[in-house]
Amino acid sequence: MVSWYEMLTLLYFLATATVVLLGAFILGKNAHSRIHQIFFLASLTWAFWAFSEFMQHTLEGTAAADPWIAAEAIWILDTAVALHFILLFVKSPYLHASRTPRALAPLYVPAIVFLCVVCCTDLFIAALAPASPGLDGLAAGDLVVLLAYLWALICAGIGWILCIRYVLRTPAGGERRQAALVAIGLTVPVISGFSYLASDAVPWLMVFELPPVTALWFSLFVGYAIWKHGLFIITPQTTADTIISTMNDGLLLLDDHNRVLETNAALTTMLGRDRPDLIGIPAETLFSNRLEAADIFSAVLTAGSVPDRETVLQRRDGRPLPVSLSGAAVGNDDGGVAGIVMIVRDIAERKMHENALSESNRKLALLSSITRHDLLNQVMVIRGHLHFASEDTEDAAVRDRLAKCDAAAALIQQQAEFTRDYQDLGQQSPVWQKVSSVVAAEAAAFRGVPVTIRADTDGTEIYADPLFSRVVYNLIDNALRHGGNVTAISFSVRQDNGSAILRCEDNGEGVLPGEKEGLFRWGVGRNTGHGLFLSREILAITGIEIQETGSPGSGARFEMRIPEGNIRYGEA
């Protein structure tokens, strides 16, 4: 019949094999992940400790057991590595790049000191080989072992508390179930560790001593978490390194003093610099304009995030690099700001195309301007000769034909001048414009007209083409020309299912139902027929739709539907 001692020896060997295989399996899932690497290292140290126990049991009573007694002290390093793994698992803020050395020093420095004592002296062997004494008359070796045990107990307690705290703070879902299984898996090893370590130093504190069982217990729960909930396979921690290394956009992770903590291959390629050259430097040194960099960082901290902010970085060789930055503040557990994460998109090629397109448009506009100028000069000459010809003849029929020719030339002149007013349509980027200010500026052109023009829009701003002012002018002009006896024109804004509606209303005769459909067509109207057509085109540049919704006899009402994101509200 197998004795309990022999069964315990077999359990040590089984624990060794199980923990090594589990660690290797997890490392194979993502060999580049820090959390995978630390878990594997913890598995190796734990397995080596279990194997040393197995060898002690196998060689008990012989001198060959002494080296394995000394090797048993690997549990000191295992304690440090295990807590390191837990800090990574619970996403401890103390493992940010700038804090990592300070956070890990209390773990690894004592472990190294105790291991040096093992390697350089026989104190551990002297303390562990015989039966451990009580608190009275502790030898030097017993005192060193006791200190090591107390340090390990503190680390184990901290690790277990961090796991429980992480479970309680993690939102319900797969990640919380993963955390709960890991916490349960750690509970028995922690309790057993307290009893095991305390029993070696102070025998009367012993509760139970089943180290190999705790290793198998932990392996069982971690294995179940991997199989059932994808632990270490697809989590924010395990995929972060892969995402960062493969993303096409650059990454900048800054600490609370705006120093670079981490970056990725995409950014180093953009800047032509090596990663070690970037880590730890002030982030503003990467910008061509340091004042602008400070403004961006301040905006991120004030607003919490900044989307698509265009700026210029500086490559290693001094060449400028146009980029688009999106940044967000990273909070800590205390509610403060731990740093900033920024996504950097290279827009050099886009800027090159934009500049080429802008230059082409500039040249086309110049050509159009010269052509229009020459055309208007010739039309003026034609109209002048028509006028002189009309004065030189007394024939009524000839005068009538000359008048028709002059009317046609006048229409050509009017249309050419109209194209001058709208030659910049779409040439400039849309901008935020305060509606009340635009209305006030355009209303000034109608000061001599007995009409009240007001804007009840407070501080509302819309994102539109710079020619939005021409839209406002056209709506006012259209009301005064075709609205009948118009004495009041008002602009107002209201929210509607996420979007917003900007209204222009008058108190005139309104628009007949049969005329509504053709209002925005080219050439329709009693004047040039182009004003409302081009107003619609100007608004469409930023996705704004316009339609007439008034009732005949109650005045015209033009409604401009503004997409969500293209309007913002403020105080007057």
Side-chain angles (χ1 to χ4, degrees):
M1 183 176 181
V2 179
S3 66
W4 169 247
Y5 189 83
E6 291 173 332
M7 185 179 296
L8 190 62
T9 302
L10 291 175
L11 283 175
Y12 275 121
F13 183 79
L14 181 61
T16 300
T18 303
V19 173
V20 166
L21 291 176
L22 179 64
F25 174 75
I26 290 176
L27 182 66
K29 291 297 181 182
N30 189 348
H32 300 290
S33 166
R34 180 62 57 83
I35 193 171
H36 287 70
Q37 295 168 352
I38 296 299
F39 184 87
F40 178 65
L41 181 58
S43 300
L44 288 182
T45 55
W46 199 345
F48 186 80
W49 167 81
F51 187 72
S52 70
E53 290 281 358
F54 168 76
M55 293 302 295
Q56 286 181 59
H57 282 240
T58 303
L59 302 173
E60 186 178 15
T62 68
D66 288 349
W68 292 107
I69 295 176
E72 181 188 347
I74 193 69
W75 60 262
I76 299 172
L77 180 60
D78 179 61
T79 300
V81 177
L83 185 52
H84 188 177
F85 160 73
I86 292 171
L87 290 171
L88 286 172
F89 181 73
V90 302
K91 306 174 189 175
S92 171
Y94 294 103
L95 291 189
H96 289 162
S98 62
R99 301 179 182 176
T100 298
R102 296 195 299 270
L104 296 183
L107 292 182
Y108 289 104
V109 170
I112 292 172
V113 170
F114 289 129
L115 285 177
C116 287
V117 172
V118 174
C119 295
C120 301
T121 71
D122 294 330
L123 292 179
F124 263 50
I125 296 177
L128 296 175
S132 298
L135 290 174
D136 297 329
L138 286 175
D142 298 316
L143 182 60
V144 172
V145 173
L146 180 60
L147 290 175
Y149 284 171
L150 291 175
W151 169 78
L153 288 173
I154 292 172
C155 290
I158 291 174
W160 186 76
I161 292 172
L162 288 175
C163 280
I164 297 300
R165 180 170 173 263
Y166 183 62
V167 172
L168 297 176
R169 290 193 170 192
T170 303
E175 190 174 354
R176 184 171 188 174
R177 289 190 289 271
Q178 291 176 2
L181 287 168
V182 171
I184 294 172
L186 284 172
T187 299
V188 170
V190 167
I191 295 175
S192 177
F194 268 83
S195 300
Y196 176 67
L197 298 178
S199 68
D200 276 344
V202 185
W204 49 268
L205 291 179
M206 182 180 69
V207 179
F208 66 92
E209 183 179 345
L210 294 173
V213 174
T214 64
L216 293 174
W217 172 276
F218 178 74
S219 300
L220 174 66
F221 276 89
V222 171
Y224 182 76
I226 293 172
W227 171 67
K228 190 69 175 178
H229 301 294
L231 178 66
F232 299 129
I233 299 175
I234 301 178
T235 67
Q237 301 100 308
T238 59
T239 57
D241 290 342
T242 301
I243 293 172
I244 291 172
S245 63
T246 58
M247 63 191 294
N248 292 326
D249 292 333
L251 173 78
L252 267 179
L253 182 62
L254 312 180
D255 64 13
D256 51 357
H257 297 292
N258 296 331
R259 292 189 298 264
V260 179
L261 293 178
E262 190 56 87
T263 183
N264 66 345
L267 187 66
T268 58
T269 301
M270 288 181 199
L271 299 178
R273 303 179 65 168
D274 296 327
R275 178 179 172 278
D277 295 337
L278 296 175
I279 303 301
I281 68 172
E284 58 266 21
T285 61
L286 302 176
F287 290 73
S288 294
N289 187 329
R290 296 195 180 189
L291 292 178
E292 185 180 14
D295 179 60
I296 293 174
F297 299 150
S298 176
V300 172
L301 296 177
T302 301
S305 64
V306 170
D308 297 326
R309 178 74 174 264
E310 292 190 6
T311 185
V312 179
L313 301 184
Q314 195 166 13
R315 294 184 175 96
R316 184 175 186 175
D317 57 9
R319 291 180 298 135
L321 175 67
V323 297
S324 173
L325 293 179
S326 295
V330 179
N332 55 29
D333 291 341
D334 300 326
V337 176
I340 296 175
V341 61
M342 308 199 82
I343 302 299
V344 183
R345 175 161 296 176
D346 183 352
I347 59 173
E349 185 174 354
R350 191 187 84 189
K351 282 295 183 181
M352 181 179 64
H353 292 313
E354 288 179 355
N355 292 337
L357 181 60
S358 177
E359 183 64 15
S360 297
N361 288 335
R362 188 190 67 80
K363 291 180 178 179
L364 287 173
L366 179 61
L367 178 61
S368 297
S369 177
I370 294 172
T371 303
R372 181 172 50 250
H373 181 269
D374 292 344
L375 175 64
L376 289 173
N377 284 343
Q378 296 305 314
V379 169
M380 187 179 298
V381 171
I382 292 173
R383 295 194 67 188
H385 284 292
L386 289 173
H387 176 73
F388 293 142
S390 177
E391 289 183 345
D392 290 343
T393 181
E394 299 294 336
D395 190 325
V398 172
R399 282 193 171 190
D400 182 62
R401 290 185 178 182
L402 290 175
K404 291 179 179 179
C405 289
D406 183 65
L411 182 59
I412 294 173
Q413 181 180 13
Q414 187 181 44
Q415 290 178 335
E417 291 173 344
F418 186 83
T419 61
R420 177 179 58 202
D421 294 336
Y422 290 92
Q423 70 176 359
D424 293 330
L425 177 61
Q427 296 297 308
Q428 300 180 43
S429 298
V431 293
W432 287 101
Q433 303 174 61
K434 192 173 182 179
V435 176
S436 58
S437 298
V438 174
V439 172
E442 297 307 315
F446 301 93
R447 284 176 182 167
V449 181
V451 61
T452 301
I453 303 173
R454 73 176 193 275
D456 302 322
T457 57
D458 295 328
T460 300
E461 295 181 328
I462 69 169
Y463 189 67
D465 188 272
L467 286 177
F468 172 68
S469 59
R470 297 298 301 176
V471 174
V472 173
Y473 178 90
N474 283 338
L475 291 175
I476 298 174
D477 183 65
N478 185 77
L480 295 176
R481 285 178 181 272
H482 312 301
N485 187 26
V486 174
T487 59
I489 301 173
S490 66
F491 289 81
S492 61
V493 65
R494 67 179 179 86
Q495 299 184 45
D496 183 63
N497 295 327
S499 59
I501 293 178
L502 176 62
R503 282 180 173 176
C504 173
E505 302 175 272
D506 64 54
N507 63 346
E509 299 174 356
V511 181
L512 296 175
E515 296 178 355
K516 289 178 181 286
E517 186 176 348
L519 278 178
F520 302 99
R521 291 178 184 170
W522 177 268
V524 175
R526 297 173 223 165
N527 192 29
T528 64
H530 304 330
L532 290 178
F533 169 82
L534 285 171
S535 293
R536 185 184 66 179
E537 297 303 308
I538 292 170
L539 295 173
I541 290 175
T542 51
I544 302 174
E545 300 174 352
I546 184 171
Q547 59 180 341
E548 204 286 325
T549 60
S551 301
S554 299
R557 180 172 63 228
F558 290 90
E559 292 190 343
M560 292 161 273
R561 181 172 292 276
I562 305 167
E564 184 179 9
N566 284 15
I567 187 167
R568 56 191 185 191
Y569 306 94
E571 299 179 356

